[in-house]
Amino acid sequence: MRIAALLVALSAAFSPLAARADDVAAAQGVIRAQEQAFVRDDAALAYSYAAPAIREIFPAPDIFMSMVQNGYAPVYRHKSFEFGDSKSEGSWIAQRVHIVDADGEAWEALYTLERQSDGSYKITGCSLLKAGQAV
């Protein structure tokens, strides 16, 4: 009986961690799907992962894609794209991504995502710094 009580207590104690891990995995899936849409030059699909606030700023997929191509070249075209640390708080997730651009330069991206009313995650922003550059 004590073992059963201990198992119930342990699963209750770790369920928020599992939920957060699931949320981080979902958020990483969204980032990866958008990254792959950029690789295929699929503006409509890449745009579909942007949060409503981003869509207000860039009201069409081609406008959004142009912004990414011109302002986020390492995200748009790269040699490697690997997930780093993440942080989850409430309905928000921050995810670091280590990028090596097409020229071999290292970059750090910080993506932010927010859970939407339908339970999905959408990208709310991406900050990009050359690796080793001071903030």
Side-chain angles (χ1 to χ4, degrees):
M1 187 65 150
R2 286 183 186 205
I3 292 174
L6 178 61
L7 289 175
V8 169
L10 284 174
S11 72
F14 286 105
S15 64
L17 293 176
R20 279 184 257 158
D22 288 347
D23 289 342
V24 168
Q28 288 177 348
V30 168
I31 295 167
R32 182 65 72 191
Q34 187 182 63
E35 178 255 344
Q36 289 298 302
F38 290 144
V39 167
R40 292 188 307 277
D41 285 318
D42 189 336
L45 186 59
Y47 187 67
S48 74
Y49 299 108
I54 301 298
R55 291 168 148 238
E56 285 180 25
I57 298 167
F58 305 100
D62 59 326
I63 296 169
F64 174 75
M65 189 67 114
S66 178
M67 176 274 298
V68 172
Q69 290 168 339
N70 293 314
Y72 293 84
V75 171
Y76 177 65
R77 290 291 185 259
H78 49 269
K79 290 181 179 177
S80 70
F81 191 95
E82 301 297 326
F83 293 115
D85 294 336
S86 61
K87 181 178 180 182
S88 174
E89 190 167 316
S91 64
W92 289 87
I93 293 179
Q95 175 66 59
R96 289 195 182 278
V97 178
H98 309 290
I99 300 171
V100 175
D101 70 15
D103 297 324
E105 296 287 331
W107 296 81
E108 293 289 328
L110 178 63
Y111 280 82
T112 55
L113 299 92
E114 183 178 23
R115 186 175 28 249
Q116 305 299 298
S117 59
D118 67 359
S120 68
Y121 278 94
K122 298 287 183 184
I123 299 169
T124 58
C126 178
S127 300
L128 189 61
L129 281 176
K130 196 169 248 191
Q133 190 176 27
V135 177

